[in-house]
Amino acid sequence: MALHRLTSITVGVPNLEETAIYYTDLGLTPLGGNSFATSDGGEQFKLAHTSHRRLVEIGVGAEDADDLDRIERQLSALDLAHERTGDTLVTAEPIAGFRAVVSIAPHIVQASEPTPYNGPGRIDRANDRAPGVLREGRVIPRKLGHVVIGSTDQVATQRFFTDGLGFKVSDVVPSLAAFMRCSTDHHNVLVQQAPVNFLHHTSWQVDDVDEVGRGATAMLAKDPDRHVWGLGRHHVGSNFFWYLKDPAGNFSEYYADLDCIVDDALWTPGMWEGVKGLFNWGPPPPPSFLAPEDLAELMTGAHQPG
C-alpha cells in the first residue's frame, strides 16, 4: 500500500486548557504548544482553539513522491483543489472542510512481546501471575489508530478518502458507514452518515485488553463522568474497546487486538447491519454514543466560522 499510516490529527476545541489535561491523563505525552506524542508514533495529536469541537486536520503518511503524484492526479479528477510543496500535499475534504495533509513519512516501527495468556489445555504462563495484574505504571498509548468522522454526505466524504487519497474499504455498514484503511490496520478512518459534520472519536492503541481496562479505570478514578461505553469487543475490526469523553465532548477510545489486513487478496470486505455493526459483546451502547448529546448544539452552529 502506498499509504502506510496516520501521522497526526489536529482537533479544535473551545476549552483548550481543560481538554489538554484530559489527554495528558489519557497517557499522551505533552510536547508544549498543545501538541502531544504517543510512545511509538511520536507527535500525533494537537489541540487548537475553535468555537466548537471539530476535526481541523488529519495527516496521512505516504511512501514517496510517486505516491504524492498519484494523489495529485486523483484529486484533480475529483476537481478538488490541492497544494504541493516539496514532500507534502495539502487539500480540503469537501463536506466538513477539514484539511488533509499527505506527507512522505517514515513508517511506525513497533516491537513488543505477546502477552502470555493461559487457556484450556494451554499453559503459556507457568508459575507466574498474569502481567496485567502486576503492572503499576500509567497506561501510555502506543499510537493513534483511527479517527471516526460524522459527515452530512457520507458517500462524498468516503469518496474523498478512497478515490482522492487512496484509502481502501475494509468493511461497510450499508447506507451508514465505511471502515477504511491507509495501513495494515483494519481501519484508520471510519466515516458515518450524520445530521452534522463532527468528530465522533479518536482511537488509541494499547498493548492488550488489560491495558484497555487499566487505562479506563485510571481515567474514571479521576472523573467518573468520563465514562461512555465499555468494556466490550467490536465485531467489525474485532478490537477490545472502552470509550471515554473529553471535556469538549469528543469521545476517545482505548483499543487492543484490532484486525490487520496484510494481503488485500485474502480479505473480503463484509456488510454488517444491526448489532454487529456496533459490537460483538459488552454492555449495549448508550444513546449518547450513537447521537452525542451536543449534536443539536453543533447543528445550530454548524455554519459558524472557526
Side-chain angles (χ1 to χ4, degrees):
M1 176 176 278
L3 305 177
H4 58 83
R5 69 175 176 115
L6 293 183
T7 53
S8 65
I9 58 169
T10 299
V11 175
V13 298
N15 47 348
L16 270 175
E17 184 175 348
E18 186 181 11
T19 306
I21 292 171
Y22 170 93
Y23 285 99
T24 302
D25 290 345
L26 191 76
L28 303 184
T29 300
L31 301 175
N34 292 309
S35 293
F36 300 82
T38 58
S39 64
D40 295 342
E43 183 175 349
Q44 290 201 282
F45 186 70
K46 187 171 184 177
L47 292 170
H49 183 266
T50 53
S51 62
H52 58 281
R53 66 180 186 91
R54 68 184 185 90
L55 179 63
V56 174
E57 180 179 292
I58 185 168
V60 181
E63 294 282 0
D64 52 38
D66 288 343
D67 299 325
L68 298 186
D69 293 342
R70 173 183 50 80
I71 293 171
E72 277 197 284
R73 293 192 297 270
Q74 292 170 176
L75 292 172
S76 295
L78 296 176
D79 292 324
L80 293 176
H82 52 276
E83 182 177 348
R84 172 88 171 266
T85 305
D87 292 342
T88 301
L89 186 154
V90 180
T91 186
E93 188 274 336
I95 306 304
F98 56 81
R99 289 190 303 275
V101 179
V102 184
S103 58
I104 300 173
H107 285 245
I108 291 180
V109 178
Q110 295 187 288
S112 64
E113 293 294 325
T115 304
Y117 287 102
N118 291 333
R122 188 192 75 248
I123 301 175
D124 292 338
R125 189 189 69 253
N127 308 313
D128 201 0
R129 301 186 193 279
V133 306
L134 298 176
R135 297 170 186 158
E136 295 181 350
R138 65 198 299 258
V139 172
I140 300 176
R142 301 287 298 262
K143 69 175 183 179
L144 170 67
H146 57 267
V147 179
V148 174
I149 302 162
S151 171
T152 57
D153 189 339
Q154 190 275 335
V155 172
T157 301
Q158 176 180 334
R159 185 167 59 245
F160 169 78
F161 280 103
T162 55
D163 297 358
L165 301 186
F167 280 56
K168 298 181 180 181
V169 175
S170 300
D171 282 301
V172 298
V173 179
S175 303
L176 181 63
F179 296 77
M180 296 173 286
R181 66 188 187 276
C182 63
S183 72
T184 55
D185 287 347
H186 175 272
H187 57 285
N188 301 105
V189 169
L190 187 160
V191 177
Q192 61 185 30
Q193 184 66 36
V196 64
N197 301 310
F198 76 105
L199 173 63
H200 187 276
H201 73 263
T202 59
S203 190
W204 305 90
Q205 183 194 57
V206 294
D207 284 339
D208 52 35
V209 66
D210 287 296
E211 295 299 88
V212 172
R214 287 200 327 113
T217 298
M219 291 288 283
L220 300 181
K222 187 165 184 178
D223 183 356
D225 290 337
R226 290 170 166 174
H227 175 71
V228 177
W229 182 29
L231 172 72
R233 186 159 193 151
H234 286 302
H235 189 86
V236 185
S238 302
N239 51 297
F240 295 106
F241 66 82
W242 199 318
Y243 293 91
L244 306 155
K245 183 169 69 173
D246 76 19
N250 304 295
F251 301 148
S252 52
E253 175 192 18
Y254 287 120
Y255 81 90
D257 193 26
L258 182 74
D259 290 338
C260 290
I261 303 171
V262 178
D263 187 337
D264 292 339
L266 299 179
W267 182 269
T268 302
M271 300 180 66
W272 305 99
E273 298 184 271
V275 172
K276 285 189 175 180
L278 287 168
F279 70 122
N280 186 280
W281 59 258
S288 62
F289 179 81
L290 303 175
E293 295 170 351
D294 64 348
L295 273 192
E297 179 183 344
L298 292 174
M299 291 175 69
T300 301
H303 302 294
Q304 295 178 1

